[in-house]
Amino acid sequence: MTVSDVNSKSHPVIGAPAPDFSLRNQSGDIVNLDSFLGKKTVVLYFYPKASTPGCTTQACGIRDSKAELAALDVVVLGVSPDPESKLQRFIDKQSLNFDLLSDENLTTTKAYGCWALKKFMGKEFMGVVRTTFIIGKDGVLLHIMDKFKTKSHHDDLLAWFQDNQ
């Protein structure tokens, strides 16, 4: 089995409307993409699992860049298959200052093409592929980041906004 055999769904197309979603955040509140239309640019990032080293590094970088992103009228939303309770523990432990969304049934993760065959230590398995989507205030997908280091993800985001706004 190859990655192309399993990845039947690709990422949404840049310049097209981003797939809508309706997910619960760490507090159990419903968060929809539509609620940001006309108000905020949305950074929607998919990560494999709360409280793991790479995901913690990535989330803390975003936390520390919150003021710069807010000044650009940007809201950040993290998405993982973790249950709401685990997301709340992650937020509490790392003092995160943005919403994390629970996609336990993987509907949104698959709609964004972020569920794929992965390899780790010679084993193949299905999992979340770390990917970030930048969605304009009009709901149109502006940019996809899928090649970045968790340590510099926040810097890459800020650089993109500096170059494109």
Side-chain angles (χ1 to χ4, degrees), residues 101-117:
L101 308 179
S102 175
D103 188 21
E104 289 185 272
N105 65 13
L106 302 171
T107 304
T108 301
T109 303
K110 289 177 180 178
Y112 277 82
C114 297
W115 184 252
L117 187 66

Side-chain angles (χ1 to χ4, degrees), residues 15-81:
D20 195 14
F21 57 83
S22 181
L23 297 171
R24 291 196 182 275
N25 70 5
Q26 67 282 347
S27 304
D29 300 326
I30 298 287
V31 177
N32 299 298
L33 179 58
D34 314 7
S35 64
F36 299 102
L37 294 180
K39 300 173 192 168
K40 300 271 185 194
T41 299
V42 175
V43 169
L44 186 69
Y45 83 96
F46 292 82
Y47 64 98
K49 190 173 182 182
S51 296
T52 57
C55 296
T56 299
T57 298
Q58 183 178 17
C60 289
I62 292 169
R63 173 199 66 203
D64 296 344
S65 301
K66 170 85 175 193
E68 294 95 329
L69 290 165
L72 296 166
D73 218 15
V74 172
V75 63
V76 177
L77 303 169
V79 180
S80 77

Side-chain angles (χ1 to χ4, degrees), residues 150-165:
T150 57
K151 193 186 277 191
S152 60
H153 178 244
H154 60 287
D155 290 329
D156 297 340
L157 273 173
L158 290 169
W160 186 88
F161 280 105
Q162 288 170 350
D163 293 346
N164 292 281
Q165 285 199 339

Side-chain angles (χ1 to χ4, degrees), residues 126-144:
M126 294 300 293
V128 176
V129 177
R130 195 181 303 277
T131 312
T132 299
F133 298 87
I134 300 174
I135 303 165
K137 292 179 183 180
D138 58 358
V140 171
L141 184 58
L142 302 175
H143 185 65
I144 300 171

